[in-house]
Amino acid sequence: MRIVFTLVLLLIVIAVTGYAHWQLARQTPTPSQRWLGHVLVGLVAIAFGWAVAGVYMGGEEGGGVAAFLVAIGVAHLPPAIVLFLKKQRDK
């Protein structure tokens, strides 16, 4: 049952990550700002994922990888919310 929950959680955070980068690409005016945004969000997400995975590496097999991927998605959640609210405001 735990593996099913982990897979569902991974699918959700992959969708959040995709949405954040998709909206970032649509709402950023210049290509240089767009790439800077993608790189900054990506670096912060990877750093957060690395820190979280370091805590869970001693857990069960594959726990560190799952924690890393979920942490990357969680780090993309605030930009996704901000970009969603910005899109709603512009409507």
Side-chain angles (χ1 to χ4, degrees):
M1 186 65 180
R2 187 179 294 173
I3 189 75
V4 173
F5 176 71
T6 304
L7 289 175
V8 169
L9 190 59
L10 286 174
L11 288 175
I12 291 169
V13 297
I14 288 171
V16 167
T17 301
Y19 179 80
H21 283 281
W22 180 58
Q23 286 299 321
L24 185 62
R26 293 184 69 215
Q27 294 183 20
T28 309
T30 64
S32 61
Q33 289 176 340
R34 186 174 307 130
W35 281 107
L36 180 64
H38 287 301
V39 168
L40 286 177
V41 170
L43 286 175
V44 168
I46 289 171
F48 184 64
W50 181 63
V52 169
V55 173
Y56 290 101
M57 282 308 241
E60 62 187 65
E61 188 173 323
V65 174
F68 178 76
L69 293 174
V70 169
I72 285 179
V74 169
H76 280 84
L77 190 58
I81 291 170
V82 168
L83 290 167
F84 175 77
L85 293 174
K86 185 177 173 186
K87 185 176 91 170
Q88 295 302 315
R89 181 196 64 190
D90 292 342
K91 280 187 178 181

Coordinates of all heavy atoms in Angstrom, one line a residue:
M1 N 0.8 -1.2 0.0 CA 0.0 0.0 0.0 C 0.9 1.3 0.0 O 0.5 2.3 -0.6 CB -0.9 0.0 1.2 CG -1.9 1.1 1.2 SD -3.0 0.9 -0.2 CE -4.1 2.2 0.1
R2 N 2.0 1.2 0.7 CA 2.9 2.3 0.7 C 3.4 2.7 -0.6 O 3.6 3.9 -1.0 CB 4.0 2.0 1.7 CG 4.9 3.3 1.9 CD 6.0 2.9 2.9 NE 5.5 2.7 4.2 CZ 6.2 2.2 5.2 NH1 7.5 2.0 5.1 NH2 5.6 2.0 6.4
I3 N 3.7 1.7 -1.5 CA 4.2 2.0 -2.8 C 3.2 2.6 -3.7 O 3.5 3.5 -4.5 CB 4.8 0.6 -3.5 CG1 5.5 1.0 -4.8 CG2 3.7 -0.3 -3.8 CD1 6.9 1.6 -4.5
V4 N 1.9 2.3 -3.5 CA 0.9 2.9 -4.3 C 0.8 4.4 -3.9 O 0.7 5.3 -4.8 CB -0.5 2.2 -4.1 CG1 -1.6 2.9 -4.7 CG2 -0.4 0.8 -4.6
F5 N 0.8 4.7 -2.6 CA 0.7 6.0 -2.1 C 1.9 6.8 -2.6 O 1.8 8.0 -3.1 CB 0.7 6.1 -0.6 CG 0.8 7.5 0.0 CD1 -0.3 8.3 -0.1 CD2 1.9 7.9 0.6 CE1 -0.3 9.6 0.4 CE2 1.9 9.2 1.1 CZ 0.8 10.1 1.0
T6 N 3.1 6.3 -2.6 CA 4.3 6.9 -3.1 C 4.2 7.2 -4.6 O 4.5 8.3 -5.1 CB 5.5 6.1 -2.9 OG1 5.6 5.8 -1.5 CG2 6.8 6.8 -3.3
L7 N 3.7 6.3 -5.4 CA 3.5 6.5 -6.8 C 2.5 7.6 -7.1 O 2.7 8.4 -8.0 CB 3.1 5.2 -7.5 CG 4.2 4.1 -7.6 CD1 3.7 2.8 -8.2 CD2 5.4 4.6 -8.4
V8 N 1.4 7.6 -6.4 CA 0.4 8.7 -6.6 C 1.0 10.0 -6.2 O 0.8 11.0 -6.9 CB -0.9 8.3 -5.8 CG1 -1.8 9.5 -5.7 CG2 -1.6 7.1 -6.3
L9 N 1.7 10.1 -5.1 CA 2.3 11.3 -4.7 C 3.4 11.8 -5.8 O 3.4 13.0 -6.1 CB 3.0 11.1 -3.4 CG 3.5 12.3 -2.7 CD1 2.4 13.3 -2.4 CD2 4.2 12.0 -1.3
L10 N 4.1 10.9 -6.3 CA 5.1 11.2 -7.3 C 4.4 11.8 -8.6 O 4.9 12.7 -9.2 CB 5.9 10.0 -7.7 CG 7.0 9.6 -6.7 CD1 7.7 8.3 -7.1 CD2 8.0 10.8 -6.5
L11 N 3.3 11.2 -9.0 CA 2.5 11.7 -10.1 C 2.0 13.1 -9.9 O 2.0 13.9 -10.8 CB 1.4 10.7 -10.5 CG 1.8 9.4 -11.1 CD1 0.5 8.5 -11.2 CD2 2.4 9.6 -12.4
I12 N 1.6 13.3 -8.7 CA 1.0 14.7 -8.3 C 2.2 15.7 -8.4 O 2.0 16.8 -9.0 CB 0.4 14.7 -7.0 CG1 -0.9 13.9 -7.0 CG2 0.1 16.1 -6.5 CD1 -1.5 13.6 -5.7
V13 N 3.3 15.4 -7.8 CA 4.4 16.4 -7.8 C 5.0 16.6 -9.2 O 5.5 17.6 -9.5 CB 5.5 16.1 -6.7 CG1 4.9 16.1 -5.3 CG2 6.2 14.8 -7.0
I14 N 5.0 15.5 -10.0 CA 5.4 15.7 -11.4 C 4.5 16.7 -12.1 O 5.0 17.5 -12.9 CB 5.5 14.3 -12.1 CG1 6.7 13.6 -11.6 CG2 5.6 14.5 -13.6 CD1 6.8 12.1 -12.0
A15 N 3.2 16.5 -11.9 CA 2.3 17.5 -12.5 C 2.5 18.9 -12.0 O 2.4 19.8 -12.8 CB 0.8 17.0 -12.2
V16 N 2.7 19.1 -10.7 CA 3.0 20.4 -10.2 C 4.2 21.0 -10.8 O 4.3 22.2 -11.2 CB 3.1 20.3 -8.6 CG1 3.7 21.6 -8.1 CG2 1.7 20.0 -8.0
T17 N 5.3 20.2 -10.9 CA 6.5 20.6 -11.5 C 6.3 21.1 -13.0 O 6.8 22.1 -13.4 CB 7.6 19.5 -11.4 OG1 7.8 19.2 -10.1 CG2 8.9 20.0 -12.0
G18 N 5.6 20.2 -13.7 CA 5.3 20.6 -15.1 C 4.5 21.8 -15.2 O 4.8 22.7 -16.1
Y19 N 3.5 22.0 -14.4 CA 2.6 23.2 -14.4 C 3.5 24.4 -14.1 O 3.3 25.5 -14.8 CB 1.5 23.0 -13.4 CG 0.6 24.2 -13.4 CD1 -0.4 24.4 -14.4 CD2 0.7 25.2 -12.4 CE1 -1.2 25.5 -14.4 CE2 -0.1 26.3 -12.4 CZ -1.0 26.5 -13.4 OH -1.8 27.6 -13.4
A20 N 4.3 24.4 -13.1 CA 5.1 25.5 -12.7 C 6.0 26.0 -13.9 O 6.1 27.2 -14.2 CB 6.0 25.2 -11.5
H21 N 6.7 25.0 -14.5 CA 7.6 25.4 -15.6 C 6.8 25.8 -16.9 O 7.2 26.7 -17.6 CB 8.5 24.2 -16.0 CG 9.6 24.1 -15.0 ND1 10.7 25.0 -15.0 CD2 9.8 23.3 -13.9 CE1 11.5 24.6 -14.0 NE2 11.0 23.7 -13.3
W22 N 5.6 25.2 -17.1 CA 4.8 25.6 -18.2 C 4.3 27.1 -18.1 O 4.3 27.9 -19.0 CB 3.6 24.6 -18.3 CG 2.7 24.9 -19.5 CD1 3.0 25.0 -20.8 CD2 1.3 25.2 -19.4 NE1 1.8 25.3 -21.5 CE2 0.8 25.4 -20.6 CE3 0.4 25.2 -18.3 CZ2 -0.6 25.6 -20.9 CZ3 -0.9 25.4 -18.5 CH2 -1.4 25.6 -19.8
Q23 N 3.8 27.4 -16.9 CA 3.3 28.7 -16.6 C 4.4 29.7 -16.6 O 4.2 30.9 -17.0 CB 2.5 28.8 -15.3 CG 1.1 28.2 -15.4 CD 0.2 28.9 -16.4 OE1 0.3 30.1 -16.5 NE2 -0.5 28.1 -17.1
L24 N 5.6 29.3 -16.1 CA 6.7 30.2 -16.1 C 7.1 30.6 -17.5 O 7.4 31.7 -17.9 CB 7.9 29.6 -15.4 CG 9.2 30.4 -15.2 CD1 8.8 31.6 -14.3 CD2 10.2 29.5 -14.5
A25 N 7.0 29.6 -18.4 CA 7.4 29.9 -19.8 C 6.3 30.8 -20.5 O 6.6 31.6 -21.3 CB 7.5 28.5 -20.6
R26 N 5.1 30.6 -20.1 CA 4.0 31.4 -20.7 C 3.9 32.8 -20.2 O 3.5 33.8 -20.9 CB 2.6 30.8 -20.5 CG 2.5 29.4 -21.2 CD 1.2 28.8 -21.1 NE 0.2 29.6 -21.8 CZ -1.1 29.8 -21.3 NH1 -1.5 29.3 -20.3 NH2 -1.9 30.6 -22.0
Q27 N 4.3 33.1 -18.9 CA 4.1 34.3 -18.2 C 5.4 35.2 -18.2 O 5.3 36.3 -17.7 CB 3.5 34.1 -16.8 CG 2.2 33.5 -16.9 CD 1.6 33.4 -15.5 OE1 2.0 34.1 -14.5 NE2 0.6 32.6 -15.3
T28 N 6.5 34.7 -18.6 CA 7.7 35.5 -18.5 C 8.0 36.2 -19.9 O 7.9 35.5 -20.9 CB 8.9 34.6 -18.2 OG1 8.6 33.8 -17.0 CG2 10.1 35.4 -17.9
P29 N 8.2 37.5 -19.8 CA 8.2 38.2 -21.1 C 9.4 38.0 -22.0 O 9.3 37.9 -23.2 CB 8.2 39.7 -20.7 CG 8.6 39.7 -19.3 CD 8.3 38.4 -18.7
T30 N 10.6 37.9 -21.5 CA 11.8 37.7 -22.3 C 12.5 36.4 -22.2 O 12.4 35.7 -21.1 CB 12.9 38.8 -22.0 OG1 13.3 38.6 -20.7 CG2 12.3 40.2 -22.1
P31 N 13.1 35.9 -23.2 CA 13.8 34.6 -23.1 C 14.8 34.5 -22.0 O 15.0 33.5 -21.3 CB 14.4 34.3 -24.5 CG 13.6 35.2 -25.4 CD 13.2 36.4 -24.6
S32 N 15.6 35.6 -21.8 CA 16.6 35.5 -20.7 C 16.0 35.4 -19.3 O 16.5 34.7 -18.5 CB 17.5 36.7 -20.8 OG 16.8 37.9 -20.6
Q33 N 14.9 36.1 -19.1 CA 14.2 36.0 -17.8 C 13.6 34.7 -17.7 O 13.5 34.1 -16.6 CB 13.1 37.1 -17.7 CG 13.6 38.5 -17.6 CD 12.5 39.5 -17.6 OE1 11.4 39.2 -18.0 NE2 12.8 40.7 -17.0
R34 N 13.1 34.1 -18.8 CA 12.5 32.8 -18.7 C 13.5 31.7 -18.3 O 13.2 30.9 -17.4 CB 11.9 32.5 -20.1 CG 11.1 31.2 -20.2 CD 10.4 31.0 -21.6 NE 9.7 32.2 -21.9 CZ 9.8 32.9 -23.1 NH1 10.6 32.4 -24.0 NH2 9.0 33.9 -23.3
W35 N 14.7 31.8 -19.0 CA 15.7 30.8 -18.6 C 16.2 31.0 -17.2 O 16.5 30.0 -16.5 CB 16.8 30.8 -19.6 CG 16.5 30.1 -20.9 CD1 16.2 30.6 -22.1 CD2 16.3 28.7 -21.0 NE1 15.8 29.7 -23.0 CE2 15.9 28.5 -22.4 CE3 16.5 27.6 -20.2 CZ2 15.7 27.2 -22.8 CZ3 16.2 26.3 -20.7 CH2 15.9 26.1 -22.0
L36 N 16.4 32.2 -16.8 CA 16.8 32.5 -15.4 C 15.8 31.9 -14.4 O 16.2 31.3 -13.4 CB 17.0 34.0 -15.2 CG 17.5 34.4 -13.8 CD1 18.8 33.8 -13.5 CD2 17.5 35.9 -13.7
G37 N 14.5 32.1 -14.7 CA 13.5 31.6 -13.8 C 13.5 30.0 -13.8 O 13.4 29.5 -12.7
H38 N 13.6 29.4 -14.9 CA 13.7 27.9 -14.9 C 14.9 27.4 -14.2 O 14.8 26.5 -13.4 CB 13.8 27.4 -16.4 CG 12.5 27.5 -17.1 ND1 11.4 26.9 -16.8 CD2 12.2 28.2 -18.3 CE1 10.4 27.1 -17.6 NE2 10.9 27.9 -18.6
V39 N 16.1 28.1 -14.4 CA 17.3 27.6 -13.7 C 17.2 27.8 -12.2 O 17.6 27.0 -11.4 CB 18.5 28.4 -14.3 CG1 19.8 28.2 -13.5 CG2 18.8 27.9 -15.8
L40 N 16.7 29.0 -11.8 CA 16.6 29.3 -10.3 C 15.7 28.3 -9.6 O 16.0 27.8 -8.6 CB 16.2 30.7 -10.1 CG 17.3 31.8 -10.3 CD1 16.7 33.2 -10.1 CD2 18.5 31.5 -9.4
V41 N 14.5 28.1 -10.2 CA 13.6 27.2 -9.6 C 14.1 25.8 -9.6 O 14.0 25.0 -8.6 CB 12.2 27.2 -10.4 CG1 11.3 26.1 -9.9 CG2 11.5 28.6 -10.1
G42 N 14.8 25.4 -10.7 CA 15.4 24.1 -10.8 C 16.5 23.9 -9.7 O 16.6 22.8 -9.1
L43 N 17.4 24.9 -9.6 CA 18.5 24.7 -8.6 C 17.9 24.7 -7.2 O 18.4 23.9 -6.4 CB 19.4 25.9 -8.8 CG 20.4 25.8 -10.0 CD1 21.2 27.1 -10.1 CD2 21.2 24.6 -10.0
V44 N 17.0 25.5 -6.9 CA 16.4 25.5 -5.5 C 15.7 24.1 -5.3 O 15.9 23.5 -4.2 CB 15.4 26.6 -5.3 CG1 14.6 26.5 -4.1 CG2 16.1 28.0 -5.3
A45 N 15.0 23.6 -6.3 CA 14.3 22.3 -6.1 C 15.3 21.2 -5.9 O 15.1 20.3 -5.1 CB 13.4 22.1 -7.3
I46 N 16.4 21.2 -6.7 CA 17.4 20.2 -6.6 C 18.1 20.2 -5.2 O 18.4 19.2 -4.6 CB 18.4 20.2 -7.7 CG1 17.7 19.8 -9.0 CG2 19.6 19.4 -7.5 CD1 18.5 20.0 -10.3
A47 N 18.4 21.4 -4.8 CA 19.1 21.6 -3.5 C 18.2 21.1 -2.3 O 18.6 20.4 -1.4 CB 19.4 23.1 -3.2
F48 N 16.9 21.5 -2.4 CA 15.9 21.0 -1.4 C 15.8 19.5 -1.5 O 15.7 18.8 -0.4 CB 14.6 21.7 -1.6 CG 13.6 21.3 -0.6 CD1 13.8 21.7 0.7 CD2 12.4 20.7 -0.9 CE1 12.8 21.4 1.7 CE2 11.5 20.4 0.0 CZ 11.7 20.7 1.4
G49 N 15.7 18.9 -2.7 CA 15.6 17.5 -2.8 C 16.8 16.8 -2.3 O 16.7 15.7 -1.6
W50 N 18.0 17.3 -2.5 CA 19.2 16.7 -2.0 C 19.3 16.7 -0.5 O 19.7 15.8 0.2 CB 20.4 17.5 -2.6 CG 21.8 17.0 -2.1 CD1 22.3 15.8 -2.4 CD2 22.7 17.7 -1.4 NE1 23.5 15.7 -1.8 CE2 23.8 16.8 -1.2 CE3 22.8 19.0 -0.8 CZ2 25.0 17.2 -0.5 CZ3 23.9 19.3 -0.1 CH2 25.0 18.5 0.0
A51 N 18.8 17.9 0.1 CA 18.8 18.0 1.6 C 17.8 17.0 2.2 O 18.1 16.3 3.2 CB 18.4 19.4 2.0
V52 N 16.6 16.9 1.6 CA 15.6 15.9 2.1 C 16.1 14.5 1.9 O 15.9 13.6 2.8 CB 14.3 16.2 1.5 CG1 13.3 15.1 1.8 CG2 13.7 17.5 1.9
A53 N 16.6 14.2 0.7 CA 17.1 12.8 0.5 C 18.2 12.4 1.4 O 18.3 11.2 1.8 CB 17.5 12.7 -1.0
G54 N 19.0 13.4 1.8 CA 20.1 13.1 2.8 C 19.6 12.6 4.1 O 20.2 11.7 4.8
V55 N 18.4 13.1 4.5 CA 17.8 12.6 5.7 C 17.2 11.2 5.6 O 17.3 10.4 6.5 CB 16.7 13.6 6.2 CG1 15.9 13.1 7.3 CG2 17.3 15.0 6.4
Y56 N 16.6 10.9 4.4 CA 15.9 9.6 4.3 C 16.8 8.5 3.6 O 16.2 7.5 3.2 CB 14.7 9.8 3.5 CG 13.6 10.6 4.3 CD1 13.4 11.9 4.1 CD2 12.9 9.9 5.2 CE1 12.5 12.6 4.8 CE2 12.0 10.6 6.0 CZ 11.8 12.0 5.8 OH 10.8 12.6 6.5
M57 N 18.1 8.8 3.3 CA 18.9 7.7 2.7 C 19.0 6.5 3.5 O 19.2 5.4 3.0 CB 20.2 8.3 2.3 CG 20.2 9.1 1.1 SD 19.5 8.4 -0.3 CE 20.8 8.3 -1.4
G58 N 18.9 6.6 4.8 CA 19.0 5.4 5.7 C 17.8 4.6 5.8 O 17.7 3.5 6.4
G59 N 16.7 5.1 5.2 CA 15.4 4.4 5.3 C 15.3 3.2 4.4 O 16.3 2.6 4.0
E60 N 14.1 2.7 4.1 CA 14.0 1.5 3.3 C 14.5 1.8 1.9 O 14.7 2.9 1.5 CB 12.5 1.1 3.3 CG 11.6 2.1 2.7 CD 10.1 1.7 2.8 OE1 9.7 1.6 4.0 OE2 9.5 1.4 1.8
E61 N 14.6 0.7 1.2 CA 15.2 0.7 -0.2 C 14.4 1.6 -1.1 O 13.2 1.4 -1.2 CB 15.3 -0.7 -0.7 CG 16.1 -0.8 -2.0 CD 16.3 -2.2 -2.4 OE1 16.5 -3.0 -1.6 OE2 16.2 -2.4 -3.6
G62 N 15.0 2.5 -1.8 CA 14.3 3.4 -2.7 C 13.7 4.6 -2.0 O 13.2 5.5 -2.7
G63 N 13.8 4.7 -0.7 CA 13.2 5.8 0.0 C 13.9 7.1 -0.2 O 13.2 8.2 -0.3
G64 N 15.2 7.1 -0.4 CA 15.9 8.3 -0.7 C 15.5 8.9 -2.1 O 15.4 10.1 -2.2
V65 N 15.4 8.0 -3.1 CA 15.0 8.5 -4.4 C 13.6 9.1 -4.4 O 13.4 10.2 -5.0 CB 15.2 7.4 -5.4 CG1 14.7 7.8 -6.8 CG2 16.6 6.9 -5.5
A66 N 12.7 8.4 -3.8 CA 11.3 8.9 -3.7 C 11.3 10.2 -2.9 O 10.6 11.1 -3.3 CB 10.4 7.9 -3.0
A67 N 12.0 10.3 -1.8 CA 12.1 11.6 -1.1 C 12.6 12.7 -1.9 O 12.2 13.8 -1.8 CB 12.9 11.4 0.2
F68 N 13.7 12.4 -2.7 CA 14.3 13.4 -3.5 C 13.3 13.9 -4.6 O 13.1 15.1 -4.7 CB 15.5 12.8 -4.3 CG 16.2 13.7 -5.2 CD1 17.0 14.7 -4.7 CD2 16.0 13.6 -6.6 CE1 17.6 15.6 -5.6 CE2 16.7 14.4 -7.5 CZ 17.5 15.5 -7.0
L69 N 12.6 13.0 -5.2 CA 11.6 13.4 -6.3 C 10.4 14.2 -5.7 O 10.0 15.2 -6.2 CB 11.2 12.2 -7.0 CG 12.2 11.5 -7.9 CD1 11.7 10.3 -8.5 CD2 12.8 12.5 -8.9
V70 N 9.9 13.7 -4.5 CA 8.8 14.4 -3.9 C 9.3 15.8 -3.4 O 8.5 16.8 -3.6 CB 8.3 13.6 -2.7 CG1 7.3 14.4 -1.9 CG2 7.6 12.3 -3.3
A71 N 10.5 15.9 -2.9 CA 11.0 17.2 -2.4 C 11.1 18.2 -3.6 O 10.9 19.4 -3.5 CB 12.3 17.1 -1.7
I72 N 11.5 17.7 -4.8 CA 11.6 18.6 -5.9 C 10.2 19.1 -6.3 O 10.1 20.3 -6.6 CB 12.2 17.8 -7.1 CG1 13.8 17.7 -6.9 CG2 12.0 18.5 -8.4 CD1 14.5 16.9 -8.0
G73 N 9.2 18.2 -6.2 CA 7.9 18.7 -6.5 C 7.4 19.7 -5.5 O 6.7 20.6 -5.8
V74 N 7.7 19.4 -4.2 CA 7.2 20.3 -3.2 C 7.9 21.7 -3.3 O 7.3 22.7 -3.1 CB 7.5 19.7 -1.8 CG1 7.4 20.7 -0.7 CG2 6.7 18.5 -1.5
A75 N 9.1 21.7 -3.8 CA 9.8 23.0 -4.0 C 9.2 23.8 -5.1 O 9.3 25.0 -5.2 CB 11.3 22.8 -4.2
H76 N 8.6 23.1 -6.1 CA 7.9 23.7 -7.2 C 6.5 24.2 -6.8 O 5.9 24.9 -7.6 CB 7.8 22.8 -8.4 CG 9.1 22.7 -9.2 ND1 10.1 21.9 -8.8 CD2 9.5 23.4 -10.3 CE1 11.1 22.0 -9.7 NE2 10.8 22.9 -10.6
L77 N 6.0 23.8 -5.7 CA 4.6 24.1 -5.3 C 4.4 25.6 -5.1 O 3.4 26.2 -5.7 CB 4.2 23.3 -4.1 CG 2.7 23.4 -3.7 CD1 1.8 22.9 -4.9 CD2 2.4 22.6 -2.5
P78 N 5.2 26.3 -4.4 CA 5.0 27.8 -4.2 C 5.1 28.6 -5.5 O 4.2 29.4 -5.8 CB 6.1 28.2 -3.2 CG 6.5 27.0 -2.5 CD 6.3 25.9 -3.4
P79 N 6.0 28.3 -6.4 CA 6.0 29.0 -7.7 C 4.7 28.7 -8.5 O 4.2 29.6 -9.2 CB 7.3 28.6 -8.4 CG 8.2 28.1 -7.4 CD 7.3 27.6 -6.3
A80 N 4.3 27.5 -8.4 CA 3.1 27.1 -9.2 C 1.9 27.8 -8.6 O 1.0 28.3 -9.4 CB 2.9 25.6 -9.1
I81 N 1.8 28.0 -7.3 CA 0.7 28.7 -6.7 C 0.7 30.2 -7.1 O -0.3 30.7 -7.5 CB 0.6 28.5 -5.2 CG1 0.3 27.1 -4.9 CG2 -0.3 29.5 -4.6 CD1 0.5 26.7 -3.4
V82 N 1.9 30.8 -7.0 CA 2.0 32.2 -7.4 C 1.7 32.4 -8.9 O 1.0 33.3 -9.2 CB 3.4 32.7 -7.1 CG1 3.7 34.0 -7.7 CG2 3.7 32.7 -5.6
L83 N 2.2 31.5 -9.7 CA 1.9 31.7 -11.2 C 0.4 31.4 -11.5 O -0.2 32.1 -12.3 CB 2.8 30.7 -12.0 CG 4.2 31.1 -12.0 CD1 5.1 30.0 -12.5 CD2 4.5 32.4 -12.8
F84 N -0.2 30.5 -10.7 CA -1.7 30.3 -10.9 C -2.5 31.5 -10.5 O -3.4 32.0 -11.2 CB -2.1 29.1 -10.1 CG -3.6 28.9 -10.1 CD1 -4.2 28.3 -11.2 CD2 -4.4 29.2 -9.0 CE1 -5.6 28.1 -11.2 CE2 -5.8 29.0 -9.0 CZ -6.4 28.5 -10.1
L85 N -2.1 32.1 -9.3 CA -2.8 33.3 -8.9 C -2.6 34.5 -9.8 O -3.5 35.3 -10.0 CB -2.4 33.6 -7.5 CG -2.8 32.7 -6.4 CD1 -2.2 33.0 -5.0 CD2 -4.3 32.6 -6.3
K86 N -1.4 34.6 -10.3 CA -1.1 35.7 -11.3 C -1.9 35.5 -12.6 O -2.4 36.5 -13.1 CB 0.4 35.6 -11.6 CG 0.9 36.8 -12.5 CD 2.4 36.7 -12.7 CE 2.8 37.7 -13.7 NZ 4.2 37.6 -14.0
K87 N -2.1 34.3 -13.0 CA -2.9 34.0 -14.2 C -4.3 34.3 -13.9 O -5.0 34.9 -14.8 CB -2.8 32.5 -14.6 CG -3.5 32.2 -15.9 CD -3.2 30.8 -16.3 CE -4.3 29.9 -15.7 NZ -4.4 28.6 -16.2
Q88 N -4.8 34.0 -12.7 CA -6.2 34.3 -12.4 C -6.4 35.9 -12.3 O -7.5 36.4 -12.7 CB -6.6 33.7 -11.1 CG -6.6 32.2 -11.1 CD -7.5 31.6 -12.2 OE1 -8.7 32.0 -12.3 NE2 -7.0 30.7 -13.0
R89 N -5.5 36.6 -11.8 CA -5.6 38.0 -11.7 C -5.6 38.7 -13.1 O -6.3 39.6 -13.3 CB -4.4 38.6 -10.9 CG -4.4 40.1 -10.7 CD -3.1 40.6 -10.3 NE -2.1 40.4 -11.4 CZ -0.8 40.6 -11.4 NH1 -0.3 40.9 -10.2 NH2 0.0 40.3 -12.4
D90 N -4.9 38.1 -14.0 CA -4.8 38.7 -15.4 C -6.1 38.4 -16.2 O -6.3 39.1 -17.2 CB -3.6 38.2 -16.1 CG -2.3 38.7 -15.5 OD1 -2.4 39.7 -14.8 OD2 -1.2 38.1 -15.8
K91 N -6.9 37.5 -15.8 CA -8.1 37.2 -16.5 C -9.2 38.2 -16.4 O -9.3 38.9 -15.5 CB -8.7 35.8 -16.0 CG -8.0 34.7 -16.7 CD -8.7 33.4 -16.3 CE -8.0 32.2 -17.0 NZ -8.7 31.0 -16.7

